[in-house]
């Protein structure tokens, strides 16, 4: 319950905003970390092109979407086939995993773990930090995952429309969810990608006035090529002319990050209907009913491009119970006017 006067609340959220920014700044990746990771990507790309001439190894996920924290894993996607979909090599993804793994073992000092028989075949590679390269590298290499490249581009475009608020909110949620052990799809909670989609839904569809436009519904201002509209049967259109958008989109919403964070936690503690609703960023209102999609998972977040795919399908009943409990705890802590120092609230929260 908000027991603060409006003026006190305004001071509180302004201070919270500053504290969040100060809290995040030492845990963002350094220029050097980006350089070393980029050099690693290029080194691996050279090896991939030995297996399949012209192969590209592209970064997706946090190293490419603007939502990276220090020491984030690297997600790489190996593209061997040409744009028109014709394969450049005869190898299946599983074979590529085996062959490229062997080559990485021979030519580098990475630890290599091939997973050729996983649902999505990948190579996991890692390297412990050394005095010369003081960064741990943990990297997953997948194959032909063009949709992941597209959703990375979507997230990056959103990040560039309103960097101060979206980026800060998402980065804070990532740190918080990792420290509170709520960011582990393998044990029943939600991936970073899932939390990012929750934040986007909140800023685009819940907040009024909206903080962000719905990029999937901003009409194109130029003729689009077929490959910009469809990929593997999925509609992948979104408005990606960020330069124009930054000039033309000004949100009427002036709330600061502190206030948005408090409201985010309150909304997902009390208002969101977990039992009935599916978050669907691409739609006008941002929600569909579970019934209309015949979905019955605990938490339902439709992938922005793959309509048949629930990003939060890994979240179990226990996992959701824990996450909701943590949303409530976070609301309570952030609204605690007893505490003198806001930085202490953040320490308690994470
Ligand atoms: P972190 O820094 O914690 O690794 P991240 O921003 O890289 O965070 P991840 O959850 O690792 O986020 O996801 C990386 C990318 O993998 C996403 O951008 C998305 O393309 C893809 N991805 C991850 N999880 C899913 C999922 N459940 N469904 C679909 N795509 C996913
Ligand atoms: Mg990642």
């Amino acid at each position: 319950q908000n027991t603060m006067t409006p003026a006190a609340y305004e001071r509180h959220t302004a201070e919270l905003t500053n504290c969040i920014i100060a809290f995040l700044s030492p845990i963002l990746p350094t220029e050097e970390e980006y350089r070393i990771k980029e050099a690693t990507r290029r080194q691996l790309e050279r090896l991939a092109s030995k297996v399949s001439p012209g192969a590209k190894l592209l970064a997706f996920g946090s190293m490419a979407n603007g939502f990276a924290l220090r020491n984030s894993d690297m997600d790489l996607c190996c593209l061997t086939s040409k744009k028109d979909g014709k394969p450049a090599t005869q190898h299946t993804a599983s074979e590529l995993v085996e062959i490229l793994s062997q080559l990485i073992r021979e030519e580098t000092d990475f630890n290599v773990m091939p997973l050729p028989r996983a649902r999505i075949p990948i190579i996991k590679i890692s390297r412990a930090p050394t005095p010369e390269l003081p960064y741990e590298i943990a990297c997953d290499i997948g194959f032909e995952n063009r949709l992941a490249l597209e959703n990375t581009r979507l997230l990056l475009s959103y990040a560039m429309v309103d960097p101060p608020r979206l980026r800060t909110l998402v980065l804070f949620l990532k740190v918080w969810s990792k420290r509170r052990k709520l960011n582990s799809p393998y044990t029943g909670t939600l991936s970073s990608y899932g939390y990012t989609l929750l934040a986007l839904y909140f800023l685009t569809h819940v907040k009024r006035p909206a903080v962000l436009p719905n990029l999937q519904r901003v009409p194109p201002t130029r003729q689009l090529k077929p490959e910009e509209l469809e990929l593997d049967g999925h509609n992948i259109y979104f408005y990606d002319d960020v330069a124009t958008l930054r000039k033309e989109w000004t949100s009427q919403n002036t709330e600061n990050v502190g206030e948005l964070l408090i409201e985010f936690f309150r909304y997902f503690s009390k208002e969101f209907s977990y039992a009935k609703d599916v978050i669907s960023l691409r739609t006008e209102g941002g929600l569909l009913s579970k019934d209309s999609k015949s979905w019955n998972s605990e938490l339902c977040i439709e992938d922005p491009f793959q309509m048949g795919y629930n990003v939060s399908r890994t979240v179990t009943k226990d996992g959701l119970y824990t996450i909701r409990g943590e949303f409530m705890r976070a609301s309570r802590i952030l609204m605690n006017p007893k505490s003198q120092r806001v930085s202490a609230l953040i320490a308690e929260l994470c």
Side-chain angles (χ1 to χ4, degrees), residues 60-63 72-75:
F60 68 101
S62 58
M63 292 307 292
S72 293
D73 294 358
M74 245 200 315
D75 303 298

Side-chain angles (χ1 to χ4, degrees), residues 53-69:
K56 291 266 167 279
L57 215 52
L58 303 177
F60 68 101
S62 58
M63 292 307 292
N65 64 19
F67 301 118
L69 295 163

Side-chain angles (χ1 to χ4, degrees), residues 60-62 65 67 72-73 75 148 151-152 155 174 178 183 191-193 303 309 311 313:
F60 68 101
S62 58
N65 64 19
F67 301 118
S72 293
D73 294 358
D75 303 298
N151 68 39
T152 294
L155 267 40
K174 281 176 69 166
K178 283 174 204 267
N183 183 317
S191 65
S192 295
Y193 182 56
D303 185 83
Y309 183 64
V311 171
R313 76 206 173 290

Side-chain angles (χ1 to χ4, degrees), residues 29 48 216 232 261 292:
Q216 291 178 275
D232 301 338
L261 183 69
S292 72

